[in-house]
Amino acid sequence: MNIYETIKNIRASCDNYVDPNLLAFIIDDDNHMGDNNILEIRGYDIRDNDAYEERLFKIHKNENIFLPCGMITFIPVLNECDIFSTKDYSLKLSPEEFDKYCEQEEKLFGILIKKDSTDYKIGQTDVCNCSITASFKEFRKADGKFYKKIEEIIESKIID
């Protein structure tokens, strides 16, 4: 994975659901969310004239980062999952998939890229990182349509 180009690619397509300057989240080793205001972070050899992607690339050498690729909204009454990304996807979940993936609130899905590597996990995180319990949660890999669709969306955003 070319992390710099992947960040640029995801950031270029995110303006329809999230502020591109608040795209990425730092994720601590215990999977709890850290800062998402990349433009205000100091240290990490960041210079004032560094572009967003350059700043995030420098931060990534010391921190895990989460890049959202879309939003998941679960509506238990309808048993429906809407995924908002550069396209608007709507997937019907089987009862088994609903039990496996359901949440009572909206979540962002995307990739957690482990610090100073190209290793990544597909998962979700809270929409609002101001929550005390905000954290990253890896998706359990499954053969269902839901996981495959998310995997397909994410793989289309990753640049080699």
Side-chain angles (χ1 to χ4, degrees):
M1 170 195 331
N2 181 324
I3 293 173
Y4 185 85
E5 291 300 319
T6 297
I7 292 167
K8 277 179 58 175
N9 188 41
I10 292 173
R11 190 165 182 257
S13 64
C14 75
D15 62 351
N16 63 340
Y17 66 92
V18 68
D19 178 348
N21 290 331
L22 299 175
L23 167 69
F25 299 92
I26 292 176
I27 302 289
D28 297 331
D29 289 335
D30 66 358
N31 286 339
H32 280 84
M33 292 172 64
D35 201 341
N36 75 329
N37 201 334
I38 303 305
L39 295 177
E40 292 184 1
I41 294 176
R42 299 291 173 242
Y44 303 101
D45 197 30
I46 293 173
R47 296 191 169 92
D48 288 340
N49 61 344
D50 285 346
Y52 182 92
E53 293 85 1
E54 293 170 307
R55 289 170 181 260
L56 194 53
F57 191 73
K58 289 178 178 182
I59 292 168
H60 173 253
K61 291 179 181 177
N62 296 291
E63 304 287 353
N64 304 312
I65 58 170
F66 177 76
L67 298 171
C69 295
M71 183 177 285
I72 307 167
T73 306
F74 290 97
I75 307 168
V77 175
L78 300 176
N79 190 16
E80 183 178 297
C81 170
D82 293 325
I83 302 173
F84 301 98
S85 189
T86 51
K87 293 183 178 178
D88 186 3
Y89 300 93
S90 183
L91 303 176
K92 189 77 171 169
L93 296 178
S94 69
E96 295 80 20
E97 287 175 315
F98 185 77
D99 289 342
K100 187 180 288 188
Y101 295 112
C102 74
E103 297 286 345
Q104 296 303 312
E105 56 208 43
E106 293 177 336
K107 301 282 185 178
L108 294 172
F109 72 86
I111 56 176
L112 180 140
I113 306 173
K114 299 188 125 228
K115 64 180 134 189
D116 202 26
S117 79
T118 57
D119 296 339
Y120 69 91
K121 299 176 183 180
I122 298 174
Q124 68 184 19
T125 189
D126 303 272
V127 172
C128 177
N129 74 330
C130 57
S131 165
I132 290 175
T133 60
S135 63
F136 171 80
K137 179 180 167 189
E138 185 176 7
F139 282 135
R140 292 172 281 166
K141 189 165 182 152
D143 292 330
K145 291 180 188 178
F146 174 75
Y147 184 87
K148 285 182 180 177
K149 178 53 79 176
I150 288 182
E151 194 171 44
E152 176 186 310
I153 293 167
I154 288 172
E155 287 176 359
S156 73
K157 306 285 185 189
I158 293 174
I159 307 295
D160 288 320

